[in-house]
Amino acid sequence: MRRRLGSFERAQVATGAAAPYNAVVALRLSGGVTAAGARRALARLGRRHPELVARIEGRGRRAEMVVDRDSPSLALTVVARTGEDAWRKVVQDELAHRFDPATGPLARGVL
């Protein structure tokens, strides 16, 4: 799959390393979520929404969103919970962790 960049992707390419754009969503899950279950859910999410596993090729007006069989799956990092507010540090770390649009994927998960 190849498509022209949307406004969000163009902004990501334009700002590059100077002002990377990250959006972090923190969820409180219940019901015994396991790392294996979370990985399966991320794999399914990536298949359903291929833009999440995409990479951005090219520069400027020639840049394209690319998803192909070499696209990596969504990564999951498992972090030990150290307290009730441990999620706050994870969110801060994720806001500072830059994506590499040229290699993708453009989303990741932390459990």
Side-chain angles (χ1 to χ4, degrees):
M1 173 187 95
R2 287 185 172 273
R3 71 164 174 78
R4 293 179 60 170
L5 299 183
S7 57
F8 170 77
E9 294 100 9
R10 282 194 311 271
Q12 190 173 27
V13 170
T15 59
Y21 180 80
N22 282 341
V24 176
V25 178
L27 305 171
R28 180 175 211 140
L29 302 173
S30 61
V33 177
T34 65
R39 282 189 179 90
R40 283 192 304 274
L42 284 176
R44 187 172 183 185
L45 184 66
R47 285 190 302 273
R48 185 173 178 138
H49 301 283
E51 290 84 2
L52 295 175
V53 298
R55 67 183 179 280
I56 297 175
E57 285 185 355
R59 292 261 180 235
R61 294 193 179 275
R62 302 245 185 242
E64 293 180 307
M65 189 84 115
V66 178
V67 179
D68 56 27
R69 61 188 174 107
D70 296 329
S71 296
S73 60
L74 295 173
L76 177 70
T77 303
V78 179
V79 177
R81 185 176 176 188
T82 57
E84 192 65 29
D85 288 339
W87 66 272
R88 293 179 192 270
K89 171 123 175 53
V90 172
V91 167
Q92 290 171 344
D93 291 347
E94 285 301 308
L95 284 170
H97 186 174
R98 186 180 181 282
F99 284 99
D100 182 359
T103 60
L106 299 177
R108 64 181 170 262
V110 178
L111 177 63

